[in-house]
Amino acid sequence: MISTQSISLKVEQNASRIDSYISQKVSDLSRSRIQQLIEQGNVQINGGVCNSKKETVKEGDFIVVEIPPAESLELQAEDIPLDILYEDDQILILNKPAGLVVHPAPGHPNGTLVNAVLAHCPNLPGIGGVQRPGIVHRLDKDTTGAIAIAKTEIAHHSLQGQLKAKTARREYLGVVYGATKEDIGTINLPIGRHPKERKKMAVVPVEKGGREAITHWRIKERLGNYTLMHFQLETGRTHQIRVHSAQINHPIVGDFVYSSGRSVGVNLPGQALHAWKLKLQHPISDEAVEVIAPLPDTLTKLLDVLRKRLSS
């Protein structure tokens, strides 16, 4: 059983707010987590409970931070095989298969990536005081490829910051219907919830709730009436690549939500879209971490079929 962790700090010089001081000295805790601990009465200063995150500390003050064990998440750990591309004590990067939902939701209470990670990391310290992996970005159920999971509070905070600052690089490969005239381009169209079909996203003006969405694309291989495209996300809206591709009349092959999903001679589990490459900075060392997720067999087979069809 994991017990309460106690951290003692003696202030070496006059500082400002106590939450800021602790965050500088304890790298494993995010500022928001420290503020949460203060609100819960788990931080003491000179023997008394600290009642405010804004309390000023000075040289000679003695701080004690009590970190209770993470609360158990109601979700059950499930022994689901994981294709691990990279792992250390801070982050886990997986090659997600098609058909695997990332996070539990109505209709998918279990059998998700989160359930699998909870089984793989039984001693997960948790995020925000709850024993859970940090989901910082998601992949649609049938989109395959690289997805990063934060295993600690500090990693979660760091990866979220990288995505917000657009320093994390996410590259996708996808097969689309049709052939574009240009070899390279950018789609800059806001995305929001579809005004009539609530399970779909759509290009929606900002004044009507749409959010900025930018997708860079270039042709990787022309395959007759199909094209293998390289996509790079600058933003990360729900279904972004799928919506943008459909908007320029080149929807992703096999996407039954945003196109007719007409047959191409290969039994696809869903859209032919793969999170191919992920590059980010390690939350502790700041070193670059780059992974490439091998293409799933279905996408490899689709490309083989289209290449043979083109050459025949």
Side-chain angles (χ1 to χ4, degrees):
M1 182 175 179
I2 302 175
S3 60
T4 297
Q5 180 185 2
S6 180
I7 300 174
S8 300
L9 302 169
K10 186 172 183 179
V11 181
E12 300 169 349
Q13 59 185 17
N14 290 340
S16 54
R17 291 166 41 144
I18 189 169
D19 59 344
S20 175
Y21 182 79
I22 296 173
S23 69
Q24 293 172 20
K25 296 297 181 180
V26 185
S27 61
D28 289 343
L29 294 177
S30 67
R31 185 87 167 261
S32 60
R33 177 61 173 143
I34 293 166
Q35 292 172 352
Q36 183 186 61
L37 291 171
I38 292 172
E39 290 174 2
Q40 294 170 345
N42 289 317
V43 176
Q44 298 178 24
I45 181 168
N46 299 326
V49 175
C50 175
N51 294 312
S52 173
K53 62 187 179 183
K54 297 181 180 179
E55 186 162 338
T56 301
V57 296
K58 59 185 182 300
E59 183 179 354
D61 283 346
F62 191 72
I63 300 171
V64 176
V65 181
E66 300 284 349
I67 307 174
E71 297 176 16
S72 178
L73 197 62
E74 292 184 4
L75 295 173
Q76 296 297 313
E78 298 181 48
D79 188 15
I80 300 171
L82 295 174
D83 183 0
I84 299 172
L85 300 174
Y86 176 92
E87 183 177 19
D88 61 18
D89 60 350
Q90 295 292 324
I91 56 178
L92 173 65
I93 304 179
L94 305 170
N95 186 11
K96 189 187 86 65
L100 184 62
V101 174
V102 171
H103 200 279
H108 297 284
N110 47 46
T112 71
L113 186 70
V114 168
N115 297 103
V117 173
L118 287 172
H120 179 72
C121 306
N123 298 316
L124 200 69
I127 308 296
V130 180
Q131 188 181 23
R132 62 185 178 192
I135 304 299
V136 292
H137 66 115
R138 301 189 185 193
L139 295 178
D140 299 335
K141 176 185 175 183
D142 292 324
T143 297
T144 57
I147 182 170
I149 310 291
K151 296 168 70 174
T152 69
E153 186 96 35
I154 199 68
H156 189 244
H157 182 72
S158 172
L159 296 181
Q160 280 189 325
Q162 292 179 47
L163 289 172
K164 186 175 181 180
K166 302 177 182 178
T167 56
R169 188 181 180 96
R170 291 168 291 167
E171 301 177 46
Y172 291 69
L173 294 178
V175 180
V176 304
Y177 292 105
T180 62
K181 293 180 180 179
E182 301 81 10
D183 291 332
I184 191 170
T186 294
I187 307 168
N188 187 346
L189 295 169
I191 290 176
R193 187 65 57 184
H194 194 287
K196 295 181 180 179
E197 301 178 63
R198 303 307 295 171
K199 292 185 178 181
K200 293 176 64 173
M201 307 300 288
V203 170
V204 176
V206 173
E207 58 270 20
K208 293 187 177 181
R211 301 176 66 190
E212 179 187 44
I214 301 173
T215 305
H216 305 287
W217 62 266
R218 62 179 173 83
I219 290 177
K220 193 168 181 68
E221 185 177 356
R222 293 185 181 274
L223 299 161
N225 292 324
Y226 301 88
T227 307
L228 175 61
M229 303 280 275
H230 174 279
F231 299 98
Q232 183 179 336
L233 290 181
E234 189 169 321
T235 55
R237 307 302 172 213
T238 301
H239 299 178
Q240 180 172 317
I241 293 174
R242 298 166 64 189
V243 172
H244 274 173
S245 296
Q247 187 66 25
I248 62 171
N249 297 316
H250 295 289
I252 303 293
V253 168
D255 191 341
F256 289 92
V257 176
Y258 297 103
S259 75
S260 64
R262 59 186 183 274
S263 174
V264 290
V266 175
N267 186 22
L268 298 172
Q271 62 273 3
L273 183 63
H274 178 69
W276 174 58
K277 184 183 292 186
L278 177 63
K279 185 175 182 179
L280 47 83
Q281 280 186 299
H282 193 275
I284 301 299
S285 69
D286 283 335
E287 293 182 358
V289 176
E290 182 176 308
V291 299
I292 293 178
L295 296 180
D297 291 342
T298 51
L299 187 50
T300 299
K301 183 178 180 181
L302 172 62
L303 292 172
D304 287 343
V305 167
L306 294 177
R307 286 165 183 153
K308 289 178 182 177
R309 193 178 296 173
L310 185 65
S311 60
S312 61

